Amino acid sequence: MSKGDHIKPIIQVALDLLETDRAIQIAKESLEGGADWIEVGTPLIKSEGMDAIRELRKNFPDRIIIADMKIADTGSMEVEMGAKAGADIVVVLASADNSTILEAIRAGKKYGVKIMADLISCNDPVARSIELEKLGVDYINVHAGIDQQMEGHDSLAIMKKVVEQVSIPVAVAGGLDASSCSEAVASGAKIVIVGGSIVRSSNVTASAKAIRKSVDSPSSAPVLKSSPADEIRKILEDVSTSNISDAMHRKGAMQDIFSMMPGKKMIGTAVTVQTFKGDWAKAVEAIDEAKEGDVIVIYNGSRHVAPWGGLATLSCLNKGIAGVVVDGAVRDIDEIRKIGLPVFATCNVPNAGEPKGFGEINSEIVCGNQSVSPGDYIIGDDNGVVVIPKERAYEIARRAKEVEKTEQRLFEEIRRGSTLSEVMKLKKWEKH
Ligand SMILES: O=C(CO)[C@H](O)[C@H](O)COP(=O)(O)O
C-alpha cells in the first residue's frame, strides 16, 4: 500500500497559521492525536512561502502533505512549485478556468502529485464536481470558507449531494468539529479537513483525538442545531468584550462606561432610553417595557444627577432583565452591589434627578459614543461594554469565538515558556 492509500477516514489537519515553527509543533501534536495528513494552509504559504512546505516535509518525511495553494491561474507553474517543495497533493480552485485545471493536472502527472479541487465559493458545486471529475482531478473538497462560516454557511448538505454524483474521493472542510466530522464520514466523506477545531485548541492532541474517535465510529445523526438566538447567546457567554472588540476591528466599544459590579458579566438585547440630565421617568418606565434577557441602555448625559439607583435595579431583577447601561451617573451603588445586577455607568453620585417624562423609549440613541438600536446585542464585563448591531450578531459572535480560541492557544504556548513577541514573531510583522 502506498502512503496515499487509506482505508480509514482521513483526517487532514489544516495548518492555517503564520509561522512555520508553530506549524511544525502543532502538526506534531495533531499527529499524536491521530490526524493523518498535514495541510500547509494558505495563510502559512502566503506568510512563509514554499519553504513552509519544505520544512514540513523535512520534519514529517512519511506523511502526506497537502499544499493548499488555492491555485487560480498558471496551473502548471504553481503545481510544479508545490511538488518541488515536497507536497504530495496540491490544491487548485475549482472555480479556476478549465485551462488552469487541465494544466494543473498535467503538471501533477509530470511531477508525481495529486490534484485536489477546492469548491469554495463555486456557484453550482454539484455540477462543477461532475465536470472536475471528468477533467481528471484526484480529489474534490466541498468547502465553506472561514469568512462564509462566520455568516452561517456550512458544507455538509452540499457534500452529501456531491458524493452521490462522483466516484473520486470527496473531502469536506469548513469549521468542522468532532460531531460534524462524524456526520460527514457517515454521509460519505473520505477526508475531513479540520483547521480551527484542532490548530486553535489549547490542547491540540486532545482535540485531534476527539475527532479521530468521532470519524472512526461515525454517526449519521445530524448535529442538532440550536436557534440562532440561542447560539449567539451561548457563544457570547464564552467570549470577552475584548474578543468582541477584536472581532469588530476595534468598533463597538462604549467610551467612558465602567462596571459598577466588578466580576459580573452581562449579555442581552437592548431596550433603549433617551433621557436628559437626571430625568428618570423614561428610564424607569422602560423596566416595564423590557422583557427577560434585555439590557436597558440609557443616555442621560449628566455626571451630577442620577436617573438610576437601587429601587430601579431591584425592579429589573424581578423582571429578569439582564443588566443596565447608563451614559451618565447612577446612585445607591451599595444597594446595587447587594442586589447583584450588572450595572454599567459613567460614574456614581448621591444625587437623584426628577421624573419629568422627557425623552423616548426604543428610539435609536447614542450611548458611550456608540449608536445603539433596540434589539442590538449589549455585552458588558470588567473591560467595559460593547454593542453588536443585531444584523451582524451571529457573524460577530462567531468571529469573537475564533479570536478567543486563537488566544487560548497563544496562552498555552506562553505557559510553556515563550513570550508573546516570540510566539507572534512580532519583529517580522512590524511596518518598515
Ligand atoms: O482552507 C481553509 C480556509 O480557506 C481552511 O484550511 C479550511 O476551511 C479548514 O479550516 P476550518 O476547519 O477552520 O474551517
Side-chain angles (χ1 to χ4, degrees), residues 14 16 39 41-42 68 70 118 120 143-146 149 173-176 193-197 200 402:
D16 291 323
E39 172 190 313
T42 318
D68 187 10
K70 292 194 175 69
D118 181 338
I120 190 169
H143 184 191
I146 291 173
Q149 293 163 34
L176 299 181
I193 303 177
V194 185
S197 295
R200 282 202 288 284
E402 293 306 304

Side-chain angles (χ1 to χ4, degrees), residues 408-423:
Q408 288 311 317
R409 176 69 200 179
L410 294 177
F411 270 118
E412 172 56 24
E413 292 181 26
I414 293 167
R415 263 183 228 118
R416 293 177 187 181
S418 281
T419 63
L420 179 57
S421 61
E422 282 168 2
V423 173

Side-chain angles (χ1 to χ4, degrees), residues 71-81 92 99-100 103-104 107:
I71 296 171
D73 193 10
T74 58
S76 165
M77 193 196 300
E78 295 195 18
V79 167
E80 180 181 348
M81 285 163 65
V92 61
S99 57
T100 301
E103 274 295 273

Side-chain angles (χ1 to χ4, degrees), residues 87-195:
D88 301 288
I89 300 173
V90 178
V91 179
V92 61
L93 285 176
S95 56
D97 193 72
N98 283 356
S99 57
T100 301
I101 307 266
L102 285 168
E103 274 295 273
I105 293 167
R106 287 174 198 130
K109 289 196 170 45
K110 182 153 130 201
Y111 295 106
V113 296
K114 306 260 188 227
I115 302 299
M116 180 182 279
D118 181 338
L119 285 166
I120 190 169
S121 309
C122 251
N123 286 339
D124 187 346
V126 179
R128 186 61 175 152
S129 299
I130 298 167
E131 288 168 5
L132 288 163
E133 180 169 36
K134 283 194 190 129
L135 289 172
V137 304
D138 300 286
Y139 305 97
I140 285 174
N141 172 16
V142 186
H143 184 191
I146 291 173
D147 287 328
Q148 294 175 311
Q149 293 163 34
M150 301 302 130
E151 295 185 352
H153 297 256
D154 79 42
S155 41
L156 287 190
I158 296 170
M159 186 277 292
K160 288 175 191 172
K161 292 187 188 149
V162 169
V163 290
E164 285 167 10
Q165 300 297 327
V166 298
S167 48
I168 53 175
V170 173
V172 61
L176 299 181
D177 58 14
S179 45
S180 46
C181 279
S182 169
E183 186 186 343
V185 169
S187 314
K190 298 287 182 238
I191 304 159
V192 289
I193 303 177
V194 185

Side-chain angles (χ1 to χ4, degrees), residues 108 139 143 152 220 263 302 309 365 368 386 431:
Y139 305 97
H143 184 191
S220 55
S302 171
I365 64 165
V386 291
K431 285 191 175 166

Side-chain angles (χ1 to χ4, degrees), residues 79-399:
V79 167
E80 180 181 348
M81 285 163 65
K84 289 187 172 170
D88 301 288
I89 300 173
V90 178
V91 179
V92 61
L93 285 176
S95 56
D97 193 72
N98 283 356
S99 57
T100 301
I101 307 266
L102 285 168
E103 274 295 273
I105 293 167
R106 287 174 198 130
K109 289 196 170 45
K110 182 153 130 201
Y111 295 106
V113 296
K114 306 260 188 227
I115 302 299
M116 180 182 279
D118 181 338
L119 285 166
I120 190 169
S121 309
C122 251
N123 286 339
D124 187 346
V126 179
R128 186 61 175 152
S129 299
I130 298 167
E131 288 168 5
L132 288 163
E133 180 169 36
K134 283 194 190 129
L135 289 172
V137 304
D138 300 286
Y139 305 97
I140 285 174
N141 172 16
V142 186
H143 184 191
I146 291 173
D147 287 328
Q148 294 175 311
Q149 293 163 34
M150 301 302 130
E151 295 185 352
H153 297 256
D154 79 42
S155 41
L156 287 190
I158 296 170
M159 186 277 292
K160 288 175 191 172
K161 292 187 188 149
V162 169
V163 290
E164 285 167 10
Q165 300 297 327
V166 298
S167 48
I168 53 175
V170 173
V172 61
L176 299 181
D177 58 14
S179 45
S180 46
C181 279
S182 169
E183 186 186 343
V185 169
S187 314
K190 298 287 182 238
I191 304 159
V192 289
I193 303 177
V194 185
S197 295
I198 295 180
V199 304
R200 282 202 288 284
S201 160
S202 56
N203 190 337
V204 165
T205 305
S207 301
K209 259 188 197 151
I211 288 172
R212 179 80 268 159
K213 196 168 161 219
S214 77
V215 301
D216 287 346
S217 43
S219 152
S220 55
V223 182
L224 287 178
K225 279 218 153 211
S226 31
S227 73
D230 286 349
E231 204 182 336
I232 292 168
R233 214 168 261 271
K234 192 166 168 299
I235 301 173
L236 292 177
E237 275 162 15
D238 288 348
V239 299
S240 68
T241 54
S242 309
N243 301 148
I244 298 168
S245 162
D246 287 0
M248 294 179 75
H249 302 285
R250 257 181 256 134
K251 304 267 176 7
M254 290 187 179
Q255 290 171 357
D256 300 321
I257 305 279
F258 309 100
S259 174
M260 301 287 129
M261 280 291 307
K264 275 267 174 179
K265 185 166 177 181
M266 172 187 76
I267 302 163
T269 37
V271 167
T272 60
V273 183
Q274 175 74 44
T275 64
F276 305 96
K277 308 268 176 202
D279 182 348
W280 52 261
K282 294 292 170 208
V284 167
E285 286 162 20
I287 301 170
D288 295 337
E289 298 221 1
K291 52 186 192 330
E292 197 175 330
D294 283 339
V295 170
I296 298 180
V297 185
I298 303 164
Y299 176 82
N300 187 254
S302 171
R303 299 178 64 93
H304 308 296
V305 281
W308 195 267
L311 299 172
T313 304
L314 185 60
S315 313
C316 285
L317 195 72
N318 290 344
K319 284 207 70 185
I321 289 165
V324 181
V325 182
V326 185
D327 185 336
V330 293
R331 68 177 206 153
D332 305 332
I333 217 72
D334 46 345
E335 284 165 6
I336 290 175
R337 290 204 176 126
K338 263 189 245 152
I339 295 164
L341 192 82
V343 172
F344 295 80
T346 312
C347 58
N348 46 304
V349 294
N351 307 328
E354 297 281 338
K356 290 181 181 150
F358 292 112
E360 312 280 346
I361 296 174
N362 273 337
S363 57
E364 187 180 307
I365 64 165
V366 173
C367 180
N369 217 14
Q370 290 294 332
S371 174
V372 185
S373 294
D376 286 350
Y377 278 78
I378 311 294
I379 303 93
D381 60 20
D382 289 353
N383 302 300
V385 177
V386 291
V387 188
I388 309 178
K390 53 180 174 288
E391 303 76 20
R392 294 190 68 205
Y394 180 82
E395 179 208 341
I396 298 297
R398 290 284 307 259
R399 289 191 187 282

